[in-house]
Amino acid sequence: MSTLILITLTGLALAAMYFLLAAGLSLIFGLMDVLNFAHGAFITVGAYASWWTEGHLFAGVHSDVLRFLLSALMGLVIGGLFAALVELILIRPLYARHIEQVLVTVGLSLAFVALVEGIRGPDPKPYEVPGWLHRTTDFGGAHVPNDRWVEIATALVVLGLLQLFLRRTRYGLIIRAGVENRAMVTALGIDVRKAFTVVFAVGGVAAAIAGVLSGVYFNVIDAQQGTSLLIFAFIVVVIGGLGSIPGSALAAVVVGLVQQYANYYASSGVGDMVVVLLLGLVLLARPQGLAGVATGAHA
């Protein structure tokens, strides 16, 4: 029983990272019809920004918890700014030109990985975290690493904040209306372009959080990490339903748990194949995804 608990919580922690990446992808596609293949670069920016600032800007902070929180906050800010710049410089001139969007975002993803490896080298970098995260907590007879609790709790908080943002703020209402009928929102005199930039920034912050959590989860960061996680984030978005934040959350849990169970009870690597098979089954049985609707996706 303790083994099952540990595997389940590990799967949920992995699902937390998938959700944080998928939420940004889902928002961006739901409002702007942009498949952002450079979204993995946002996770790399967040991870490396927090790693660098911890060792340079905040190296003199004696408390390891405060140093980690400050560096993580810097990673989120830089991740959000980077995402907003990508939208302003590369994506905004290419709206309604989907082929060019794909080419530009794929090219940015490849170029950014090469740039990071050229500057910092291809070897993984050890990611420093507070000592408490390396310790374990007894839960149901299982010794669960404390970082699993942090990752799960962070994803739940982000899910709640995104729902509040979409339902209780002016930009959230514009985004939801834009998903339903972008032409009508524009006809009402609302500058949808600002909402586009805000969505990219929010997606960048969520991805940067995933970058920080990936460093906590794997204890290292590398330039390829964002790309590998992005593959599963796209799977989560499709299974959950394009444009649906709750659907992405549900799909992330399913994918994370299925992957971990298959890797443990079958053999390492089988989980990836099972997830792809699950994607195929969902596309055959329910092409709009678990939380999508046949006539269109909703945020």
Side-chain angles (χ1 to χ4, degrees):
M1 186 63 182
S2 61
T3 301
L4 180 62
I5 291 174
L6 181 59
I7 295 171
T8 299
L9 290 172
T10 300
L12 290 175
L14 190 61
M17 286 184 286
Y18 291 163
F19 164 71
L20 290 168
L21 266 178
L25 282 172
S26 190
L27 274 177
I28 290 168
F29 182 84
L31 179 63
M32 296 174 282
D33 291 333
V34 174
L35 279 174
N36 181 23
F37 289 95
H39 204 71
F42 301 165
I43 192 173
T44 304
V45 168
Y48 272 84
S50 62
W51 170 78
W52 187 88
T53 54
E54 183 173 29
H56 292 78
L57 292 184
F58 306 116
V61 178
H62 296 296
S63 171
D64 58 352
V65 174
L66 180 59
R67 186 168 61 250
F68 171 76
L69 292 176
L70 289 174
S71 62
L73 180 60
M74 285 298 295
L76 307 193
V77 172
I78 294 172
L81 290 174
F82 179 76
L85 287 174
V86 169
E87 192 276 335
L88 288 169
I89 298 172
L90 296 179
I91 303 299
R92 182 168 290 189
L94 299 176
Y95 285 123
R97 296 164 62 184
H98 300 294
I99 299 299
E100 288 89 341
Q101 287 174 6
V102 171
L103 293 175
V104 165
T105 55
V106 170
L108 175 60
S109 177
L110 296 174
F112 190 79
V113 169
L115 176 64
V116 173
E117 289 184 341
I119 295 173
R120 292 295 173 186
D123 297 328
K125 309 299 181 185
Y127 194 81
E128 297 292 333
V129 299
W132 176 80
L133 291 176
H134 288 307
R135 295 193 283 270
T136 62
T137 298
D138 185 76
F139 181 79
H143 298 291
V144 182
N146 289 330
D147 66 276
R148 305 298 191 257
W149 303 110
V150 172
E151 287 146 5
I152 295 169
T154 301
L156 290 174
V157 169
V158 171
L159 173 60
L161 290 176
L162 282 175
Q163 291 296 94
L164 287 174
F165 170 73
L166 290 172
R167 299 180 184 280
R168 301 295 182 185
T169 67
R170 180 176 182 273
Y171 273 112
L173 294 175
I174 292 173
I175 290 167
R176 293 173 61 205
V179 172
E180 296 289 345
N181 194 327
R182 191 188 315 168
M184 180 62 71
V185 174
T186 303
L188 291 173
I190 297 173
D191 189 357
V192 182
R193 293 177 300 175
K194 290 183 179 179
F196 289 176
T197 306
V198 170
V199 168
F200 255 84
V202 170
V205 170
I209 296 174
V212 173
L213 293 183
S214 69
V216 174
Y217 185 93
F218 298 111
N219 294 314
V220 296
I221 60 170
D222 65 76
Q224 300 284 350
Q225 208 157 272
T227 303
S228 59
L229 289 173
L230 183 64
I231 296 171
F232 293 101
F234 269 116
I235 292 174
V236 165
V237 169
V238 174
I239 292 178
L242 292 170
S244 174
I245 300 299
S248 292
L250 174 61
V253 171
V254 172
V255 169
L257 291 177
V258 166
Q259 190 177 25
Q260 285 299 308
Y261 290 150
N263 282 337
Y264 183 82
Y265 290 108
S267 64
S268 179
V270 172
D272 295 355
M273 181 184 68
V274 173
V275 168
V276 174
L277 291 175
L278 176 63
L279 171 65
L281 290 174
V282 170
L283 288 175
L284 288 173
R286 190 175 171 83
Q288 67 271 29
L290 299 178
V293 294
T295 56
H298 303 279

